[in-house]
Amino acid sequence: MKLTVNDKDYDVDVDVEAEMPLLWVLRDEVGLTGTKFGCGIAQCGACTVHVDGMPIRSCVYPVGQVKGKITTIETDSSSDIMSKVQEAWIEHQTPQCGYCQSGQIMSATALLSANPSPTDEEIDRAMAGNICRCGAYPRIRAAIHAAAKSIQEA
Amino acid sequence: MSTLGKITRRTFLVTSAAVAGGVVFGTYKYKQAVPNPLLNSDGSANPEFASLNPYIKIDQEGVTVITPRAEMGQGIQSTLAMLVAEELDLDWKRVKTEHGPASNSYYVGIMLEAMAGHMYDHSTKANIIRDLSHIPAKFLGLQITGGSMSTADAFVKMRSAGASARLALTLAAAQQWGVKATTLKTQDGHVINPASGEKLAYTALAAKAATIEAPAEPPLRDPSQWRYLGQSMPRLDIPAKVDGTAEFAIDVKQPDMLHATVKMSPRFGAGIKSSDTTKAETMKGVEKVITLDNHGFAVIADNTWRAFKAADAIDVEWGEVSYPQDTAGIFKIYEESFLAEPNGTYDEQGDVELVFADAGQNLVEAEYRVPYLAHSTMEPMTAVAQVKDGRVDIWTGSQAPTSLRDAIMAVDELTEDSVHIHTTLLGGGFGRRSETDFAVSAYKIAKQTNGKPVKVTWSREEDMQHDFYRPAAIARFKGVMGLKKPVALDVQIASPSIMLSMSKRSAFPALGPDALIAEGTAGQPDDIDNIRIRTYAPELDIPIGFWRSVGASYNGFVHESFMDELAVSQDLDPIAMRLEMFGDLAPTANKVVEKVAEMAGWTGRKTDKGGRGFAYTLSFGAHTAQIIDVSMTDRGISIDKVYCAIDVGTALDPRNIEAQVQSAIIYGLTSAMSGEITFENGEVVQSNYHDYPAMRMHQVPEIEVAVMENNPRITGVGEPGTPPSVPALANAIFAATGQRIRELPMNKSVDFV
């Protein structure tokens, strides 16, 4: 099975079952552990990655159904948008324990790619699938607004 | 989580008697420096770096500060590094941190302070007793991250480590240059000779400095000279947390590593009655299925998902539990416990019965109930273990590495130097990772892999159904109001003893009453003439443990809800009543309450769109007051705004403190709205985030935090934001709707947006 992850081609063990969730292929087979396991049922968003730019919950997404290019948190700033998001995350000192943050950043990047200046309500909707038990939400919101501003200024 | 240290008063007396019995020896031993765990066990230096004391390692690359507390999101490793960097004159941009080994040398010295009198008492006598409590704490030697203790514990200790190292490095430079040390300065990792303009890097001086005996506790800089402390410094852990490189236990990679998961008895204390593992054993990728002490199974495989699938395929019938099958039956045991002798009595003065006898219609009564709660850290329980050539290595996120080391040693009578704990970043802790169960079972699994390392990852379901829960509680309040404040308050609280539960799974003794049951109702600056607080401890074999703010997590709710009910009964403003109630006990408390009222522009409970609630709790030494605004919408109650004033004594990093307070409030509000663990057939019903929800972005209010510095002692901030958040919300809902919520979670009674 061939997967394209972060613009690099990976040959994954042909033995991988088609129904194995993409999350576990990335983590245990490819060795990219930046994408996190949180719930296994698409409830928490810690496993969010992009397939052709669309955010998906990799913990329930069978690897056999992946047809496009996969982007994970480890990407070499594949888009300027993601690097702006990461900069804003640092500027606002957003992460606490940090475990959910890969997923938060992937969701925020997808939001800003589709909508460069989201309102608070649009942020609420786009980020609704991502849980943060540390409650870093106020700074996630502030960082998304800051990233939106810096994308527009770029 | 709180403090193992709040062990019972009787335990404290026993310990202090033991210390007093050999006071000369004890004090002598107490004053001896702790061994440096960065040196080899024979005291020789590691060839790869120089270590000037247990907190400082210097190699060719630079200075690494050992920050021996778990980084679970609270930013502690950056705050601890600031303490050293301030005195050692390090360049913040080049500071590196490491958790370091498990070692009793990194014990929490203030472990027993909380039981050495009321936290609001700052009299000379109270301070002497607090300081004396450091002696038995040293002999306990517990390296624990919890109880909001880390910052206060390190405040002097780690600045001293920095100052001592700076002296040693300066003396080394003075020897090298043949000048007087007093003529030299230090700056950004260098010793400078202002007379000659020469400078030497610490990295070049370290080896020589390590041979110089510098005073361990030199004078510390006056706060007016601080460069880093008191400033919002960029956290050192954050860059790796935005690009996926931060390493949690679940990310550890070792050569030839296997993957495993567990399937444990969902009925606490009940074993395997019958089982069939044949199907699981033949599934793809599965190496082995083993039993774990007859209480469960582990599946060892080549991939985590395959281990999960095989665990699901194990066919098993479990035994029966010793406690009632369902929540209603469990609460019945709680109700019956009120008929037994109290477990403890607190803050007793005056005669409440006498006041009640004459109270007639003025007697106010209420009963409150709160449920069991899970921690639900984002990273499920995970540990990597390897057992090879007589050596045990454990990589895990632990809040209690010395307890974990001891627990593993106890399994097979291992020696201390054969067990190596590598503490990774924690994907959330909240008290759950102060337990050792998940890492001890990883050790047992690793014994079956012929020396190969194995990563043991729990599913979310296993994590939620095998927690050490915040215990449920029932609290019964009676009170009588005077003109401006209560004249009598009688409280009975029933909740199982966490210390007793702990004592059954660790070497920790549980003797006498468990003060944790009442903390947050007892120990408040309540200047009430007649008061009595009694606790009852029903015994159930449901594992319970430390959950962010521990006893105060529910005592804040019950005490502050009842204060609001008392104020309402006399049509009093709750803030005016509270300021009366403090009397002269705690000036810091008055100031946080006045501050939060000013922030919110408080004029009363009603607002145009709904209502607002007030609450105040003293926990972990920090006086904390909150006002919450709610409004009514057609989709339910919206939590619009939280105002919080907290007094931390000395604010080392204001931006990080703000994050912690917001975090603690959101953790509390989540529990208030929807947090509940229930039982059926002796098993926990909830299994994942769909039925044990967490607050999400659209529900989170604006949270404005004022950090104050009036308290005479520095305090921690990880927990104190949680206790008042729950009652402030309940009181706001009452103000908006007239509905008094006495049972949690609140979504049983009202709908939220």
Side-chain angles (χ1 to χ4, degrees):
Chain A
M1 192 179 294
K2 259 201 175 3
L3 289 178
T4 307
V5 187
N6 301 333
D7 290 326
K8 281 203 316 215
D9 288 334
Y10 289 85
D11 272 322
V12 177
D13 178 356
V14 284
D15 273 354
V16 169
E17 302 87 318
E19 74 264 29
M20 186 182 290
L22 175 60
L23 170 69
W24 295 111
V25 178
L26 289 172
R27 289 185 57 83
D28 287 358
E29 305 296 324
V30 178
L32 292 173
T33 52
T35 307
K36 300 300 190 238
F37 166 60
C39 68
I41 59 167
Q43 282 286 309
C44 79
C47 67
T48 306
V49 300
H50 296 177
V51 175
D52 285 341
M54 293 299 291
I56 59 120
R57 310 300 178 207
S58 67
C59 73
V60 294
Y61 202 94
V63 67
Q65 286 182 22
V66 176
K67 294 288 181 274
K69 286 185 171 183
I70 300 159
T71 309
T72 72
I73 190 73
E74 289 96 344
T75 189
D76 190 14
S77 289
S78 68
S79 70
D80 287 343
I81 290 176
M82 187 154 138
S83 61
K84 298 281 187 203
V85 171
Q86 288 166 317
E87 281 164 23
W89 244 245
I90 291 174
E91 183 196 328
H92 285 265
Q93 295 282 291
T94 300
Q96 291 190 28
C97 90
Y99 192 78
C100 72
Q101 295 296 339
S102 299
Q104 303 277 2
I105 288 169
M106 297 312 288
S107 289
T109 300
L111 165 67
L112 290 171
S113 303
N115 177 357
S117 58
T119 63
D120 278 330
E121 290 69 30
E122 287 164 342
I123 291 174
D124 284 348
R125 267 200 299 281
M127 302 304 289
N130 290 79
I131 290 174
C132 173
R133 281 291 278 155
C134 297
Y137 299 110
R139 292 189 183 179
I140 293 173
R141 184 188 299 282
I144 292 174
H145 281 307
K149 202 161 161 243
S150 86
I151 290 163
Q152 283 159 35
E153 284 167 1
Chain B
M1 84 129 205
S2 172
T3 114
L4 286 171
K6 280 198 228 146
I7 58 176
T8 64
R9 196 163 296 272
R10 192 172 301 168
T11 314
F12 177 62
L13 292 176
V14 170
T15 323
S16 11
V19 172
V23 79
V24 176
F25 174 71
T27 309
Y28 167 72
K29 282 280 278 185
Y30 173 65
K31 289 203 178 285
Q32 271 191 342
V34 293
N36 183 347
L38 305 177
L39 302 177
N40 296 326
S41 48
D42 63 0
S44 63
N46 184 310
E48 285 165 22
F49 57 84
S51 174
L52 308 191
N53 59 51
Y55 298 96
I56 291 157
K57 226 167 103 167
I58 304 177
D59 61 15
Q60 292 308 309
E61 303 295 308
V63 179
T64 300
V65 181
I66 303 297
T67 50
R69 296 292 176 263
E71 181 54 71
M72 48 190 175
Q74 80 283 42
I76 192 61
Q77 295 190 341
S78 295
T79 300
L80 298 183
M82 281 164 70
L83 292 167
V84 170
E86 184 67 62
E87 290 288 343
L88 185 50
D89 287 328
L90 297 176
D91 176 359
W92 186 250
K93 289 190 291 295
R94 308 188 64 160
V95 172
K96 290 179 291 185
T97 66
E98 259 176 37
H99 180 282
S103 169
N104 303 94
S105 293
Y106 299 123
Y107 72 99
V108 179
I110 63 168
M111 194 87 206
L112 304 171
E113 274 193 9
M115 40 180 307
H118 282 139
M119 288 179 284
Y120 58 78
D121 186 353
H122 296 285
S123 64
T124 308
K125 185 180 159 198
N127 287 332
I128 289 172
I129 295 173
R130 266 186 211 113
D131 289 346
L132 281 173
S133 78
H134 298 182
I135 297 173
K138 180 171 180 180
F139 294 114
L140 272 177
L142 286 167
Q143 183 185 10
I144 294 269
T145 307
S148 298
M149 294 186 292
S150 303
T151 298
D153 180 61
F155 185 51
V156 172
K157 207 155 56 177
M158 288 188 71
R159 278 186 298 153
S160 298
S164 173
R166 178 176 165 272
L167 271 181
L169 289 157
T170 307
L171 288 166
Q175 280 182 17
Q176 187 148 336
W177 285 326
V179 298
K180 279 189 171 169
T182 47
T183 64
L184 302 178
K185 292 191 176 335
T186 48
Q187 192 186 344
D188 289 345
H190 292 78
V191 183
I192 296 167
N193 183 352
S196 68
E198 287 175 290
K199 66 183 199 174
L200 274 168
Y202 291 169
T203 48
L205 291 164
K208 188 191 279 262
T211 65
I212 293 173
E213 190 101 0
E217 291 175 10
L220 299 176
R221 286 179 175 151
D222 187 84
S224 62
Q225 295 175 277
W226 284 350
R227 262 174 86 201
Y228 297 139
L229 298 173
Q231 305 297 315
S232 296
M233 299 302 292
R235 270 173 57 166
L236 301 167
D237 56 333
I238 281 184
K241 288 177 174 177
V242 306
D243 65 9
T245 57
E247 189 178 70
F248 301 87
I250 202 169
D251 306 324
V252 169
K253 293 183 192 91
Q254 291 296 324
D256 293 325
M257 186 171 71
L258 295 165
H259 298 265
T261 195
V262 295
K263 180 191 183 91
M264 279 152 342
S265 175
R267 300 180 183 163
F268 300 111
I272 301 162
K273 221 163 131 187
S274 65
S275 68
D276 182 356
T277 56
T278 336
K279 187 178 169 202
E281 278 158 5
T282 55
M283 287 170 73
K284 187 178 171 70
V286 173
E287 300 239 335
K288 212 188 255 189
V289 178
I290 60 172
T291 55
L292 291 167
D293 305 333
N294 197 44
H295 283 294
F297 303 88
V299 177
I300 303 164
D302 60 355
N303 166 300
T304 307
W305 179 73
R306 289 177 184 141
F308 282 175
K309 281 207 13 163
D312 281 343
I314 295 172
D315 195 11
V316 54
E317 191 184 344
W318 305 102
E320 295 299 324
V321 297
S322 65
Y323 49 89
Q325 300 275 323
D326 61 14
T327 308
I330 289 165
F331 268 97
K332 220 165 155 221
I333 305 271
Y334 277 67
E335 283 164 13
E336 286 163 7
S337 76
F338 285 111
L339 304 172
E341 283 296 304
N343 175 270
T345 302
Y346 303 89
D347 296 350
E348 190 169 20
Q349 65 173 349
D351 189 336
V352 288
E353 296 297 347
L354 209 61
V355 183
F356 293 156
D358 289 336
Q361 294 208 339
N362 289 326
L363 182 67
V364 180
E365 290 184 85
E367 181 182 291
Y368 305 92
R369 286 181 182 228
V370 304
Y372 286 90
L373 294 173
H375 296 83
S376 77
T377 58
M378 287 304 302
E379 179 191 23
M381 295 303 105
T382 309
V384 176
Q386 183 170 28
V387 182
K388 194 181 179 186
D389 305 333
R391 180 187 161 107
V392 180
D393 285 276
I394 306 284
W395 295 263
T396 195
S398 174
Q399 292 176 245
T402 53
S403 308
L404 173 57
R405 178 200 65 198
D406 295 350
I408 287 171
M409 281 162 59
V411 176
D412 288 316
E413 293 177 18
L414 302 173
T415 57
E416 193 174 304
D417 60 2
S418 63
V419 181
H420 302 265
I421 309 293
H422 312 272
T423 303
T424 61
L425 293 171
L426 283 64
F430 314 122
R432 177 63 181 89
R433 287 185 159 91
S434 65
E435 304 290 342
T436 61
D437 58 317
F438 53 98
V440 171
S441 75
Y443 162 67
K444 291 176 181 171
I445 295 164
K447 286 202 292 176
Q448 311 259 351
T449 57
N450 298 319
K452 282 189 183 174
V454 58
K455 181 189 290 180
V456 185
T457 306
W458 290 21
S459 67
R460 172 60 57 194
E461 289 78 9
E462 280 293 316
D463 180 279
M464 195 160 287
Q465 299 187 330
H466 298 88
D467 202 340
F468 295 82
Y469 301 93
R470 196 290 302 271
I474 302 177
R476 294 173 176 168
F477 279 72
K478 283 192 209 177
V480 175
M481 284 294 292
L483 212 53
K484 290 181 173 171
K485 67 174 188 179
V487 292
L489 178 68
D490 183 46
V491 188
Q492 293 175 283
I493 307 161
S495 189
S497 164
I498 293 172
M499 293 313 302
L500 182 64
S501 180
M502 278 293 300
S503 73
K504 291 178 182 174
R505 59 180 182 266
S506 70
F508 229 78
L511 301 163
D514 185 349
L516 298 177
I517 300 172
E519 69 167 352
T521 290
Q524 298 300 297
D526 290 347
D527 186 14
I528 298 173
D529 288 343
N530 303 282
I531 186 164
R532 179 175 61 184
I533 298 162
R534 289 172 292 174
T535 57
Y536 302 83
E539 287 193 35
L540 294 145
D541 281 330
I542 295 171
I544 52 173
F546 304 105
W547 186 97
R548 198 174 195 169
S549 81
V550 196
S553 68
Y554 59 81
N555 277 298
F557 167 63
V558 299
H559 182 273
E560 291 302 286
S561 294
F562 192 67
M563 290 306 123
D564 202 56
E565 296 208 44
L566 284 174
V568 166
S569 76
Q570 298 294 309
D571 210 13
L572 289 178
D573 180 272
I575 291 185
M577 181 182 101
R578 185 55 52 97
L579 292 170
E580 286 291 330
M581 242 173 82
F582 287 144
D584 299 322
L585 289 178
T588 306
N590 292 58
K591 287 179 190 145
V592 295
V593 170
E594 284 159 3
K595 178 69 182 178
V596 81
E598 178 200 311
M599 289 162 73
W602 175 271
T603 53
R605 300 159 185 279
K606 285 284 179 195
T607 61
D608 294 344
K609 291 189 292 181
R612 51 189 7 190
F614 160 79
Y616 155 90
T617 307
L618 168 61
S619 64
F620 309 94
H623 298 270
T624 311
Q626 291 173 18
I627 289 171
I628 293 186
D629 289 355
V630 300
S631 60
M632 312 303 293
T633 76
D634 49 10
R635 290 174 299 136
I637 291 169
S638 163
I639 306 173
D640 297 327
K641 178 99 194 205
V642 180
Y643 303 89
C644 178
I646 180 168
D647 199 306
V648 301
T650 303
L652 297 185
D653 186 327
R655 179 173 50 193
N656 193 50
I657 293 170
E658 178 197 63
Q660 277 309 290
V661 175
Q662 291 178 335
S663 169
I665 288 169
I666 291 170
Y667 204 73
L669 293 178
T670 294
S671 74
M673 291 163 67
S674 59
E676 183 177 37
I677 290 293
T678 58
F679 292 83
E680 275 172 25
N681 303 319
E683 302 175 12
V684 168
V685 172
Q686 291 72 24
S687 63
N688 207 318
Y689 287 116
H690 66 288
D691 54 7
Y692 192 83
M695 217 170 180
R696 291 177 187 268
M697 181 68 93
H698 69 278
Q699 299 171 307
V700 174
E702 265 183 65
I703 305 173
E704 194 179 318
V705 180
V707 180
M708 303 176 74
E709 299 183 286
N710 297 306
N711 202 53
R713 286 172 92 93
I714 188 170
T715 80
V717 291
E719 292 159 289
T722 299
S725 65
V726 182
L729 177 58
N731 296 341
I733 291 172
F734 175 79
T737 66
Q739 186 174 0
R740 176 62 67 184
I741 297 178
R742 299 194 182 93
E743 186 172 350
L744 298 179
M746 297 179 186
N747 65 1
K748 286 180 164 177
S749 321
V750 294
D751 292 325
F752 289 97
V753 164

